[in-house]
Amino acid sequence: MKEVIENSLESSISYEKYRELVSHLLKEHKSTGPNQSEALYNYSLLNDRRMKRLDKTSKLREDTIEFVKSIEKSQTWLVLTEGWCGDAAQNLPVLSKMADESEKVDLKLVLRDDNLELMDEFLTNGGRSIPKLIALDKDKNVLFTWGPRPSLATKMIADYKEENGVVDAKVKEDLQRWYNKDKGVNVQEDIIALLSN
């Protein structure tokens, strides 16, 4: 697995380069990944706008800033993502801001569909769910993983699916409202909890 991680790290890009890549592809009427469709393009367009807004407006809590500044050992946060993924659009700006506050955290992104070997090492309930954060120490050992959603959103979706048997348009709208209300707080709480273990 370490070889798979190292190969993915070699092709990884910064958050800024990822944002440029997604914007560039949109100008060509494309999304990231090998599958191209009008739906994926439209999701990517919506997510690009969402990320532009969140890059400007999302704020970290003071305790989050203090915590990430206190990280003592270098680590890499390797995140599997795609431009069309709504959960990635909601969470990457917050993860980026957290990494920016720490001299010890290096945030690197890779596209899921270009890194399926890595993705398949970190499935969620058997699925290739993204975003998926893999925190690595300086020797490329896995410290923890997170994703594809903050814990409260994960529970909300799981409860809805158990009650209704499906994840449909209604719960996706509920999830969007939840993200708007939460403002990135739950992802901060989740990452701090994982870093504290």
Side-chain angles (χ1 to χ4, degrees):
M1 179 170 65
K2 202 171 272 195
E3 188 181 337
V4 173
I5 288 169
E6 285 173 357
N7 289 342
S8 293
L9 281 169
E10 282 176 23
S11 65
S12 67
I13 57 176
S14 67
Y15 178 70
E16 291 73 23
K17 292 280 184 213
Y18 170 75
R19 298 287 291 113
E20 288 170 17
L21 172 67
V22 171
S23 296
H24 175 74
L25 286 169
L26 286 169
K27 286 177 186 153
E28 297 177 3
H29 207 82
K30 291 180 179 174
S31 64
T32 61
N35 301 322
Q36 298 294 319
S37 70
E38 195 65 24
L40 288 177
Y41 168 76
N42 288 330
Y43 290 138
S44 297
L45 196 60
L46 175 68
N47 290 335
D48 188 55
R49 289 186 194 129
R50 184 174 285 149
M51 290 179 82
K52 277 180 187 151
R53 187 184 79 244
L54 292 171
D55 284 339
K56 287 180 189 158
T57 62
S58 59
K59 302 253 188 292
L60 297 180
R61 296 184 336 184
E62 282 304 314
D63 62 323
T64 300
I65 294 170
E66 283 174 32
F67 189 91
V68 294
K69 281 186 184 299
S70 74
I71 294 171
E72 293 177 1
K73 292 185 177 168
S74 295
Q75 53 190 271
T76 301
W77 292 358
L78 179 60
V79 182
L80 290 144
T81 186
E82 290 286 350
W84 42 258
C85 175
D87 289 300
Q90 292 286 359
N91 293 297
L92 283 177
V94 179
L95 293 172
S96 174
K97 285 179 189 286
M98 290 179 76
D100 286 347
E101 289 291 344
S102 174
E103 292 178 11
K104 299 292 185 180
V105 176
D106 188 17
L107 179 65
K108 295 289 185 187
L109 281 65
V110 291
L111 298 177
R112 181 193 74 175
D113 293 344
D114 292 343
N115 292 271
L116 292 178
E117 202 175 352
L118 178 69
M119 181 75 259
D120 288 345
E121 294 284 346
F122 297 96
L123 301 175
T124 303
N125 300 324
R128 292 174 170 167
S129 303
I130 53 173
K132 190 69 161 194
L133 182 156
I134 306 152
L136 305 164
D137 68 14
K138 64 179 176 52
D139 299 316
K140 315 287 187 293
N141 297 306
V142 177
L143 298 170
F144 64 85
T145 64
W146 175 91
R149 294 185 183 104
S151 54
L152 296 176
T154 299
K155 183 177 184 330
M156 183 179 87
I157 295 290
D159 290 350
Y160 186 91
K161 190 174 179 182
E162 189 174 315
E163 193 174 313
N164 298 282
V166 293
V167 174
D168 57 17
K170 183 201 176 302
V171 76
K172 287 179 182 174
E173 285 175 26
D174 292 346
L175 179 63
Q176 183 58 48
R177 277 193 288 278
W178 180 87
Y179 273 124
N180 291 341
K181 191 175 165 193
D182 178 72
K183 299 187 183 318
V185 169
N186 191 208
V187 65
Q188 295 173 58
E189 293 169 340
D190 285 354
I191 299 296
I192 287 173
L194 288 163
L195 286 164
S196 299
N197 286 340

